[in-house]
Amino acid sequence: MLIFLKGRDQSLKKKSTLIRFSHLSTNLMISLTFLGIILIGSLLLLLPVASRSGTSCGFMTALFTATSATCVTGLSLVDTYSQWSPFGQVVLLCLIEIGGLGFMSIASILILLFRGQVGMKQQMLIAQAFGTSDMQNIVKMQKWMLKMCFLIEGSGTVLLTARFLTQYSFGKALRLGLFHSISAFCNAGFDILGFRSPGSSMITYGTDPFILLPLSGLIIFGGLGYIVWEEAIRVRKWKKLSVYSRLVFLTTGSLLLGGMFLILLCEFRNPDTLGPMSFPQKLLAAFFQSATLRTAGFAGIPQDMLTEGGKAVSMGLMLIGGSSGSTAGGLKTVTFVVILLFLRSRMYGKSTVTVFHRTIPLTLVINALSIYGLMTFLSVFGAAVISMTSPISLTEALYESVSAIGTVGLSCNVTSQLSLPGKLLICIYMYFGRVGVLTISLGFLSPRTVEPRYRYADTTLLIG
């Protein structure tokens, strides 16, 4: 049975179709650009000069590493310092910067240098990459964003270099400070500390506040989102901030402190993680774990030694991730909050979802639930495939799967044990986590929808 709705004017239909086609082509361009960067990075890393040994690493290792760097994930089949030469590390750093700031941000710099202006198509791509449909002053905002990014990365480099100077020469300290500052701000999680202990990440500095606190600050700034920065600096008053920015700040703070408390609760007496530390050191390590789980991927404590409860908390935080339009991945903070607000409204029998005396449209709630459902399904499906094809447990496989799709990069030290199907699946998940979820989210941003000319009759189902 069909119920016919009111017809539409043909000109409006054509206009809507053109808009949707343009929107889809923009998302496709972003996806293909990231894919192209990954392939170029893979070819560069495949060169013998990129490996410390002078021998090519092999295509799978190059592809996996380039995907992880471009998608700012941090999962790796090899130790970054031990495997990659200075040339290879520079390639990784460029891929991380491009992946974190966005290809269009880097490309627009070149366009401005050589052409003096950015075209309408480029402006559209920049707006899409920022996660906004407002193209007004987008180029001006992007210039400001790039200055702020380089300022924050520069500040992080100074702080980390000062700490490394107490142990190494100026050249080595500067190289370590610059690499880890960019990696932390872009939420990538790659490190070049393998000369201390291969594959240990930040564990050798697990109680050092002069390393962990600057890294945490860089991670948090990178995960807030460019639009939130701009508004916070411009407005400077809490009540005048948009609902979105207030939700980002409140959710970020709550997740950081709540994650720290839960990690403390689960790992307080664990002799392999926080157990041997003093109480101030436990607070620091738990806070850093909570911060790095927001898709940064640095390990301050051994992830494979976490309790089952600690792993469960970690996977939950990895899945949530950072905020929209930032260097972070994951479900996104406000998406998570919208789901919680929806559940609260249903529990109280309310038909609308509200926050700060504002109503959240039902379409946004449906979008949030859709992204959550998709990411959860893919995480579980990936864990099942990995555990069936690789010699690792289901918990370790789920940790790996969530880490990849959330572009986090933390692992229970099983990445190198993955089978070829498992490695390829993780590559796909890292790409989808950075590009797929982004383009899906951008698709949801479009306020224009084409109303159907008919709909089917309603039916009744039993739910719950």
Side-chain angles (χ1 to χ4, degrees):
M1 179 179 178
L2 300 178
I3 301 174
F4 285 87
L5 303 179
K6 186 178 180 180
R8 293 279 181 176
D9 182 77
Q10 291 298 320
S11 62
L12 291 177
K13 286 172 63 180
K14 291 180 180 179
K15 182 179 179 181
S16 179
T17 303
L18 288 172
I19 291 171
R20 290 173 64 82
F21 176 78
S22 174
H23 187 79
L24 288 173
S25 63
T26 303
N27 287 341
L28 181 61
M29 187 173 294
I30 292 174
S31 301
L32 292 178
T33 299
F34 267 89
L35 185 60
I37 293 169
I38 290 171
L39 293 177
I40 293 172
S42 300
L43 293 176
L44 291 175
L45 293 177
L46 197 59
L47 297 173
V49 70
S51 296
R52 192 172 291 276
S53 63
T55 305
S56 179
C57 63
F59 182 71
M60 189 67 242
T61 299
L63 175 65
F64 193 99
T65 306
T67 304
S68 184
T70 307
C71 299
V72 289
T73 304
L75 289 172
S76 183
L77 300 175
V78 293
D79 177 69
T80 303
Y81 176 83
S82 304
Q83 174 62 44
W84 306 113
S85 66
F87 172 79
Q89 292 174 20
V90 170
V91 171
L92 280 180
L93 207 59
C94 292
L95 293 176
I96 289 170
E97 192 77 275
I98 292 172
L101 300 184
F103 170 75
M104 281 312 303
S105 297
I106 305 299
S108 64
I109 296 176
L110 300 177
I111 293 171
L112 287 170
L113 287 175
F114 291 102
R115 290 174 49 186
Q117 61 180 358
V118 179
M120 183 62 67
K121 185 67 174 179
Q122 287 77 25
Q123 291 184 40
M124 184 184 298
L125 285 168
I126 295 169
Q128 297 275 32
F130 275 150
T132 178
S133 56
D134 183 10
M135 290 177 55
Q136 194 174 22
N137 298 321
I138 190 66
V139 174
K140 181 179 179 181
M141 185 177 76
Q142 193 217 18
K143 290 180 182 177
W144 178 90
M145 179 274 293
L146 288 171
K147 291 178 183 178
M148 287 296 297
C149 288
F150 295 136
L151 176 63
I152 294 171
E153 288 178 345
S155 301
T157 299
V158 170
L159 292 174
L160 292 173
T161 300
R163 171 62 183 88
F164 287 128
L165 266 177
T166 62
Q167 295 178 290
Y168 311 111
S169 65
F170 177 76
K172 187 171 185 178
L174 179 61
R175 186 167 67 253
L176 291 172
L178 177 64
F179 189 97
H180 293 106
S181 177
I182 293 175
S183 184
F185 178 76
C186 292
N187 279 222
F190 281 91
D191 70 274
I192 50 173
L193 295 173
F195 60 88
R196 293 172 62 90
S197 179
S200 63
S201 189
M202 293 295 163
I203 293 175
T204 55
Y205 289 103
T207 58
D208 190 334
F210 298 103
I211 294 292
L212 299 189
L213 290 180
L215 287 178
S216 297
L218 289 164
I219 293 166
I220 293 167
F221 272 112
L224 283 175
Y226 309 126
I227 296 175
V228 175
W229 296 353
E230 190 276 334
E231 185 181 0
I233 294 175
R234 174 171 48 83
V235 175
R236 299 183 183 181
K237 290 185 179 181
W238 176 257
K239 292 185 178 180
K240 291 186 177 181
L241 287 176
S242 65
V243 171
Y244 173 77
S245 294
R246 281 185 278 175
L247 284 177
V248 166
F249 283 120
L250 287 174
T251 309
T252 299
S254 299
L255 289 173
L256 285 170
L257 296 178
M260 180 183 72
F261 173 76
L262 291 174
I263 293 297
L264 276 174
L265 188 65
C266 295
E267 303 296 325
F268 196 86
R269 299 186 183 280
N270 186 347
D272 297 315
T273 54
L274 301 184
M277 301 179 185
S278 65
F279 185 70
Q281 290 174 339
K282 289 179 179 178
L283 286 176
L284 176 64
F287 177 76
F288 183 73
Q289 175 75 359
S290 180
T292 195
L293 287 168
R294 311 300 304 290
T295 83
F298 291 114
I301 52 179
Q303 302 300 297
D304 56 329
M305 295 299 180
L306 291 170
T307 62
E308 292 299 301
K311 289 177 182 177
V313 171
S314 297
M315 284 188 281
L317 291 173
M318 286 194 293
L319 197 61
I320 296 171
S323 300
S324 301
S326 72
T327 61
L331 177 67
K332 300 298 187 293
T333 52
V334 173
T335 306
F336 172 68
V337 171
V338 168
I339 294 172
L340 292 183
L341 292 171
F342 168 73
L343 293 176
R344 185 192 67 175
S345 68
R346 298 306 298 166
M347 288 174 61
Y348 284 96
K350 297 180 179 179
S351 59
T352 58
V353 182
T354 60
V355 63
F356 295 134
H357 305 292
R358 295 290 188 275
T359 299
I360 301 175
L362 181 60
T363 53
L364 293 183
V365 176
I366 294 174
N367 293 343
L369 292 170
S370 300
I371 298 174
Y372 169 75
L374 180 61
M375 291 189 67
T376 303
F377 169 78
L378 289 175
S379 298
V380 176
F381 174 79
V385 172
I386 291 170
S387 63
M388 287 189 293
T389 59
S390 305
I392 60 178
S393 68
L394 181 60
T395 301
E396 292 171 333
L398 184 60
Y399 204 91
E400 201 82 5
S401 179
V402 172
S403 181
I405 203 165
T407 68
V408 182
L410 289 173
S411 171
C412 294
N413 292 330
V414 297
T415 308
S416 59
Q417 301 176 36
L418 295 175
S419 63
L420 180 59
K423 293 174 184 176
L424 291 174
L425 182 65
I426 290 297
C427 283
I428 293 171
Y429 273 23
M430 289 189 292
Y431 178 79
F432 179 82
R434 183 59 180 163
V435 181
V437 174
L438 171 66
T439 53
I440 289 172
S441 300
L442 292 175
F444 286 154
L445 284 174
S446 177
R448 304 176 179 90
T449 57
V450 179
E451 294 291 340
R453 299 190 64 182
Y454 63 87
R455 67 178 177 85
Y456 292 100
D458 295 338
T459 188
T460 302
L461 299 174
L462 298 178
I463 301 297

